[in-house]
Amino acid sequence: ELKVEQNPLFLSMQEGKNYTIYCNYSTTSDRLYWYRQDPGKSLESLFVLLSNGAVKQEGRLMASLDTKARLSTLHITAAVHDLSATYFCAVDIVGKLTFGTGTRLTIIP
Amino acid sequence: DTAVSQTPKYLVTQMGNDKSIKCEQNLGHDTMYWYKQDSKKFLKIMFSYNNKELIINETVPNRFSPKSPDKAHLNLHINSLELGDSAVYFCASSQGDLYADTQYFGPGTRLTVL
């Protein structure tokens, strides 16, 4: 059974700092998604990573995928308060998404 | 324009009742999904339909029955509701099936069973 683990589960960071969220998964896949969820809201797609070595960037967020290590990272640069949310990675195996545990990110002024 | 919509947004009901949640997407996608998010925010797929045909059916109690009248709609009926069914249920849609594109999620339905 596919296992998808994120760490850390909770992250408080100061504005302006950099940090990385890690997503490890247990079965070979070359399709991985990152989603954002604000409290009480739906999931918003951030990135789609479709091959080994894929790197995508949007604003202060950058995601990468290493399929050989079965690892994806979501890097936050110079965090701002608006980035406070829960971030999920999700691994795609023949159209079925298995979500990670989520990382609740709080940006402190 | 709402891409994936769900009704109702909130549902409070007693144990043992039967309830339905409706989902509609106007994205022209041919695959739709139901997910359950529990109180710890863990998200798990329940069902997936492609062009009205069931393609993913996870280990879900048979009290849960999805129905897809057409490829733009996927409803979820739950019989004999139990306390453990309390959760947020998300509908989603995507283009494609085995190699689906990004899934777009609805706003969620918060179900509370008393």
Side-chain angles (χ1 to χ4, degrees), chain A residues 1 31 33 35 37 39-45 47-48 86 88 92-101 104, chain B residues 9 33 35 37 40-45 48 56 58 90 97-108 110:
Chain A
E1 181 186 340
R31 298 171 71 90
Y33 300 81
Y35 284 88
Q37 186 178 35
K41 301 291 186 184
S42 185
L43 284 90
E44 174 192 354
S45 175
F47 299 109
V48 181
T86 299
F88 291 94
D92 186 342
I93 305 283
V94 287
K96 175 182 160 185
L97 287 190
T98 299
F99 279 82
T101 46
R104 184 176 293 181
Chain B
K9 190 169 173 61
Y33 311 80
Y35 288 86
Q37 186 172 44
K40 295 183 179 177
K41 304 298 182 192
F42 185 64
L43 267 159
K44 187 168 170 56
I45 190 165
S48 170
I56 295 174
E58 289 298 287
F90 286 100
D97 50 6
L98 296 182
Y99 297 99
D101 204 345
T102 300
Q103 293 184 23
Y104 294 87
F105 284 75
R110 183 175 294 274

XYZ file of all heavy atoms in Angstrom, chain A residues 1 31 33 35 37 39-45 47-48 86 88 92-101 104, chain B residues 9 33 35 37 40-45 48 56 58 90 97-108 110:
458
model
N 0.842 -1.195 0.000
C 0.000 0.000 0.000
C 0.882 1.252 0.000
O 1.850 1.329 0.731
C -0.897 -0.008 1.228
C -1.842 1.188 1.308
C -2.628 1.212 2.620
O -2.743 0.165 3.274
O -3.100 2.299 2.972
N 4.307 11.197 -10.937
C 3.315 12.272 -10.978
C 3.002 12.669 -9.553
O 2.550 11.833 -8.749
C 2.036 11.828 -11.663
C 2.228 11.427 -13.116
C 0.967 10.791 -13.655
N -0.085 11.768 -13.834
C -0.287 12.452 -14.955
N 0.512 12.288 -15.979
N -1.272 13.315 -15.055
N 1.495 16.045 -7.027
C 0.809 17.337 -6.964
C 1.026 17.966 -5.593
O 1.167 17.260 -4.589
C -0.702 17.147 -7.157
C -1.082 16.510 -8.473
C -1.018 15.137 -8.644
C -1.519 17.287 -9.538
C -1.369 14.547 -9.849
C -1.878 16.707 -10.743
C -1.808 15.338 -10.898
O -2.149 14.767 -12.083
N -0.970 20.819 -3.147
C -2.195 21.573 -2.955
C -2.059 22.434 -1.707
O -1.337 22.081 -0.762
C -3.390 20.632 -2.758
C -3.904 19.977 -4.015
C -3.372 18.774 -4.456
C -4.938 20.555 -4.753
C -3.855 18.165 -5.604
C -5.425 19.953 -5.895
C -4.876 18.752 -6.313
O -5.362 18.155 -7.458
N -4.522 24.358 1.295
C -5.852 24.448 1.882
C -5.846 25.492 2.986
O -5.112 25.355 3.966
C -6.314 23.084 2.428
C -7.758 23.110 2.927
C -8.250 21.763 3.431
O -7.504 20.993 4.006
N -9.520 21.475 3.206
N -7.924 27.403 6.126
C -8.873 26.876 7.111
C -10.318 26.980 6.647
O -10.777 28.047 6.228
C -8.618 27.755 8.336
C -7.213 28.210 8.196
C -6.995 28.382 6.725
N -11.024 25.887 6.691
C -12.432 25.861 6.316
C -12.699 25.992 4.831
O -13.853 26.160 4.420
N -11.642 25.898 4.041
C -11.802 26.095 2.596
C -11.468 24.824 1.826
O -11.110 23.791 2.403
C -10.863 27.218 2.120
C -11.100 28.548 2.795
C -12.413 29.166 2.392
C -12.569 30.562 2.971
N -13.900 31.129 2.641
N -11.589 24.935 0.509
C -11.300 23.805 -0.359
C -9.799 23.709 -0.639
O -9.002 24.454 -0.085
C -12.067 23.992 -1.667
O -11.899 22.873 -2.495
N -9.447 22.779 -1.499
C -8.050 22.592 -1.878
C -7.777 23.317 -3.188
O -8.544 23.193 -4.154
C -7.717 21.111 -2.042
C -7.553 20.355 -0.748
C -8.865 19.772 -0.285
C -6.528 19.244 -0.906
N -6.663 24.010 -3.215
C -6.261 24.759 -4.396
C -5.000 24.140 -4.962
O -4.023 23.936 -4.223
C -5.995 26.214 -4.006
C -5.427 27.087 -5.110
C -4.931 28.417 -4.578
O -5.133 28.710 -3.384
O -4.303 29.152 -5.363
N -5.010 23.838 -6.243
C -3.837 23.233 -6.865
C -2.714 24.261 -6.971
O -2.928 25.387 -7.422
C -4.209 22.719 -8.256
O -3.066 22.244 -8.924
N 0.984 23.042 -7.756
C 1.957 22.550 -8.718
C 1.609 21.133 -9.161
O 1.096 20.339 -8.384
C 3.366 22.518 -8.111
C 3.885 23.851 -7.678
C 4.013 24.138 -6.324
C 4.250 24.816 -8.603
C 4.491 25.368 -5.913
C 4.722 26.043 -8.197
C 4.852 26.321 -6.845
N 1.965 20.855 -10.418
C 1.915 19.494 -10.945
C 3.323 19.149 -11.386
O 3.919 19.869 -12.193
C 0.973 19.402 -12.168
C 0.911 17.986 -12.675
C -0.398 19.925 -11.799
N -2.470 25.059 5.155
C -2.012 23.668 5.208
C -1.653 23.240 3.789
O -2.427 23.477 2.855
C -3.084 22.746 5.796
O -3.374 23.163 7.131
C -2.588 21.309 5.829
N -0.542 20.172 1.185
C -0.599 18.728 0.976
C 0.164 18.367 -0.291
O 0.024 19.042 -1.323
C -2.041 18.261 0.775
C -2.919 18.353 1.989
C -3.709 19.472 2.209
C -2.972 17.316 2.904
C -4.535 19.561 3.330
C -3.786 17.388 4.024
C -4.564 18.515 4.226
N 0.229 10.395 -7.473
C -0.724 9.845 -8.444
C -0.249 8.482 -8.937
O 0.827 8.373 -9.524
C -0.831 10.828 -9.608
C -1.904 10.441 -10.614
O -2.344 9.275 -10.621
O -2.297 11.304 -11.410
N -1.069 7.469 -8.681
C -0.810 6.134 -9.239
C -2.028 5.786 -10.097
O -3.129 5.615 -9.570
C -0.642 5.065 -8.139
C 0.440 5.467 -7.157
C -0.364 3.696 -8.750
C 1.855 5.282 -7.646
N -1.834 5.727 -11.386
C -2.909 5.478 -12.379
C -4.203 6.203 -12.031
O -5.288 5.613 -11.988
C -3.156 3.968 -12.633
C -2.030 3.388 -13.429
C -3.416 3.191 -11.368
N -4.079 7.503 -11.821
C -5.253 8.347 -11.645
C -5.794 8.410 -10.239
O -6.729 9.159 -9.970
N -5.227 7.637 -9.328
C -5.696 7.663 -7.950
C -4.697 8.463 -7.112
O -3.516 8.133 -7.065
C -5.807 6.232 -7.425
C -6.183 6.139 -5.955
C -6.216 4.685 -5.525
C -6.089 4.574 -4.022
N -6.005 3.169 -3.580
N -5.191 9.520 -6.481
C -4.340 10.354 -5.636
C -4.321 9.831 -4.207
O -5.384 9.588 -3.626
C -4.844 11.792 -5.612
C -4.654 12.651 -6.853
C -5.001 14.098 -6.547
C -3.239 12.554 -7.368
N -3.118 9.679 -3.682
C -2.954 9.402 -2.257
C -2.297 10.622 -1.640
O -1.191 11.013 -2.055
C -2.098 8.153 -2.026
O -2.748 7.035 -2.624
C -1.921 7.888 -0.536
N -2.980 11.207 -0.686
C -2.517 12.454 -0.087
C -1.577 12.202 1.077
O -1.700 11.216 1.803
C -3.705 13.282 0.403
C -4.374 14.057 -0.685
C -5.296 13.438 -1.516
C -4.077 15.391 -0.899
C -5.912 14.140 -2.538
C -4.700 16.102 -1.904
C -5.604 15.477 -2.733
N -0.643 13.133 1.252
C 0.185 13.146 2.442
C -0.610 13.659 3.633
O -1.780 14.038 3.515
N 0.048 13.643 4.777
C -0.592 13.997 6.039
C -0.859 15.486 6.168
O -1.623 15.900 7.018
C 0.295 13.559 7.202
O 1.648 13.959 6.909
C 0.268 12.047 7.375
N 0.876 21.959 8.348
C 0.207 23.210 8.717
C 1.273 24.272 8.940
O 2.063 24.184 9.890
C -0.639 23.045 9.967
C -1.422 24.313 10.306
C -2.326 24.142 11.479
N -3.407 23.204 11.191
C -4.351 22.901 12.076
N -4.353 23.446 13.277
N -5.285 22.043 11.763
N -23.674 22.856 1.769
C -22.360 23.188 2.324
C -22.222 22.621 3.742
O -21.141 22.195 4.137
C -22.164 24.695 2.341
C -20.747 25.128 2.676
C -20.564 26.603 2.412
C -19.221 27.107 2.902
N -18.087 26.441 2.240
N -14.714 12.624 -8.564
C -14.231 11.910 -7.385
C -14.984 12.365 -6.138
O -15.451 13.498 -6.059
C -12.746 12.223 -7.130
C -11.836 12.108 -8.332
C -11.756 13.129 -9.267
C -11.030 10.982 -8.506
C -10.909 13.036 -10.362
C -10.181 10.886 -9.599
C -10.121 11.920 -10.523
O -9.280 11.826 -11.602
N -13.952 12.521 -1.978
C -12.940 12.378 -0.945
C -13.572 12.645 0.419
O -14.514 13.443 0.533
C -11.799 13.390 -1.126
C -10.876 13.110 -2.278
C -11.173 13.562 -3.561
C -9.698 12.390 -2.082
C -10.314 13.312 -4.620
C -8.837 12.135 -3.135
C -9.153 12.606 -4.403
O -8.304 12.354 -5.446
N -12.430 14.037 4.234
C -11.386 14.633 5.075
C -11.839 14.563 6.529
O -12.854 15.155 6.896
C -11.093 16.079 4.675
C -9.904 16.668 5.432
C -9.484 18.031 4.918
O -10.314 18.900 4.649
N -8.183 18.232 4.759
N -8.703 15.181 11.547
C -7.252 15.444 11.570
C -6.759 15.941 10.216
O -5.552 15.999 9.981
C -6.499 14.176 11.972
C -6.793 13.737 13.397
C -5.975 12.528 13.789
C -6.295 12.134 15.229
N -5.583 10.912 15.648
N -7.670 16.287 9.352
C -7.367 16.848 8.026
C -6.827 15.807 7.059
O -6.320 16.175 5.992
C -6.374 18.032 8.123
C -6.844 19.147 9.028
C -8.124 19.754 8.541
C -8.552 20.902 9.418
N -9.951 21.316 9.119
N -6.914 14.529 7.412
C -6.429 13.504 6.501
C -7.438 13.295 5.378
O -8.622 13.085 5.633
C -6.196 12.194 7.256
C -5.596 11.128 6.413
C -4.324 11.280 5.879
C -6.294 9.971 6.126
C -3.768 10.303 5.086
C -5.739 8.981 5.333
C -4.477 9.153 4.814
N -6.954 13.339 4.144
C -7.796 13.214 2.959
C -7.657 11.840 2.348
O -6.548 11.385 2.071
C -7.347 14.215 1.899
C -8.025 15.559 1.863
C -7.142 16.549 1.154
C -9.357 15.451 1.151
N -8.800 11.203 2.065
C -8.729 9.875 1.465
C -9.777 9.748 0.381
O -10.927 10.164 0.554
C -8.965 8.812 2.539
C -8.744 7.394 2.046
C -8.690 6.412 3.194
C -8.724 4.981 2.715
N -7.653 4.667 1.758
N -9.365 9.175 -0.739
C -10.304 8.994 -1.825
C -11.312 7.912 -1.463
O -10.986 6.931 -0.795
C -9.592 8.654 -3.145
C -10.593 8.718 -4.307
C -8.892 7.301 -3.062
C -9.954 8.752 -5.656
N -14.333 7.098 -7.580
C -14.068 7.870 -8.779
C -14.924 7.318 -9.917
O -15.061 6.094 -10.053
C -12.582 7.778 -9.147
O -12.365 8.322 -10.417
N -12.828 3.782 -9.453
C -12.154 3.607 -8.170
C -13.221 3.435 -7.107
O -14.149 4.228 -7.008
C -11.256 4.809 -7.805
C -10.100 4.939 -8.781
C -10.713 4.660 -6.377
C -9.250 6.189 -8.570
N -12.805 2.560 -3.198
C -11.949 2.213 -2.071
C -12.743 1.439 -1.029
O -13.945 1.226 -1.174
C -11.353 3.474 -1.467
C -10.303 4.112 -2.351
C -9.118 3.210 -2.573
O -8.304 3.024 -1.645
O -8.976 2.666 -3.696
N -15.387 16.137 0.049
C -15.027 16.953 -1.105
C -15.282 16.176 -2.383
O -14.907 15.016 -2.520
C -13.543 17.336 -1.080
C -13.203 18.389 -0.068
C -12.638 18.029 1.149
C -13.427 19.723 -0.332
C -12.302 18.987 2.086
C -13.094 20.691 0.597
C -12.532 20.326 1.818
N -8.514 9.757 -17.118
C -8.786 8.793 -16.063
C -7.501 8.195 -15.517
O -7.033 8.604 -14.472
C -9.745 7.697 -16.535
C -9.313 7.076 -17.868
O -8.221 7.405 -18.368
O -10.071 6.271 -18.408
N -6.891 7.254 -16.199
C -5.693 6.622 -15.663
C -4.531 7.597 -15.561
O -3.694 7.484 -14.686
C -5.289 5.431 -16.529
C -6.276 4.263 -16.573
C -5.701 3.152 -17.430
C -6.573 3.748 -15.172
N -4.470 8.522 -16.467
C -3.405 9.530 -16.425
C -4.053 10.903 -16.382
O -3.898 11.732 -17.258
C -2.488 9.375 -17.636
C -1.801 8.044 -17.605
C -2.284 6.977 -18.369
C -0.725 7.819 -16.767
C -1.673 5.742 -18.302
C -0.116 6.584 -16.703
C -0.591 5.544 -17.470
O 0.000 4.324 -17.404
N -4.798 11.082 -15.315
C -5.638 12.275 -15.180
C -4.805 13.532 -14.996
O -3.691 13.490 -14.476
C -6.586 12.112 -13.996
N -5.387 14.604 -15.425
C -4.805 15.933 -15.214
C -5.122 16.368 -13.779
O -5.685 15.611 -13.004
C -5.414 16.889 -16.240
C -4.504 18.066 -16.500
O -3.585 18.281 -15.699
O -4.729 18.769 -17.502
N -4.753 17.599 -13.466
C -4.987 18.138 -12.128
C -6.449 17.971 -11.712
O -7.363 18.180 -12.511
C -4.640 19.635 -12.120
O -3.276 19.786 -12.471
C -4.895 20.249 -10.745
N -6.642 17.579 -10.465
C -7.988 17.479 -9.928
C -8.385 18.822 -9.318
O -7.622 19.420 -8.559
C -8.062 16.373 -8.878
C -7.852 14.988 -9.484
C -8.021 13.874 -8.473
O -8.675 14.026 -7.448
N -7.442 12.723 -8.781
N -9.595 19.267 -9.643
C -10.135 20.516 -9.114
C -11.211 20.168 -8.094
O -12.117 19.394 -8.381
C -10.708 21.374 -10.244
C -9.641 21.849 -11.191
C -9.242 21.073 -12.264
C -9.010 23.068 -10.983
C -8.236 21.492 -13.131
C -8.013 23.509 -11.840
C -7.627 22.713 -12.909
O -6.631 23.134 -13.740
N -11.087 20.773 -6.924
C -11.944 20.418 -5.804
C -13.100 21.400 -5.618
O -12.964 22.605 -5.857
C -11.108 20.367 -4.510
C -10.269 19.128 -4.407
C -9.112 18.989 -5.159
C -10.645 18.091 -3.571
C -8.339 17.843 -5.074
C -9.880 16.935 -3.478
C -8.728 16.809 -4.234
N -14.215 20.836 -5.158
C -15.353 21.654 -4.763
C -15.136 22.253 -3.392
O -14.127 21.983 -2.737
N -16.093 23.050 -2.912
C -15.938 23.755 -1.637
C -16.087 22.869 -0.410
O -15.743 23.291 0.691
C -17.068 24.790 -1.681
C -18.085 24.209 -2.586
C -17.326 23.414 -3.608
N -16.572 21.662 -0.592
C -16.715 20.750 0.538
C -18.099 20.807 1.166
O -18.781 21.833 1.112
N -19.621 19.904 4.936
C -19.307 19.499 6.305
C -20.494 18.742 6.871
O -21.557 19.330 7.096
C -18.964 20.703 7.170
C -18.561 20.319 8.600
C -18.107 21.528 9.398
N -16.879 22.105 8.874
C -15.654 21.704 9.195
N -15.489 20.716 10.057
N -14.600 22.305 8.688
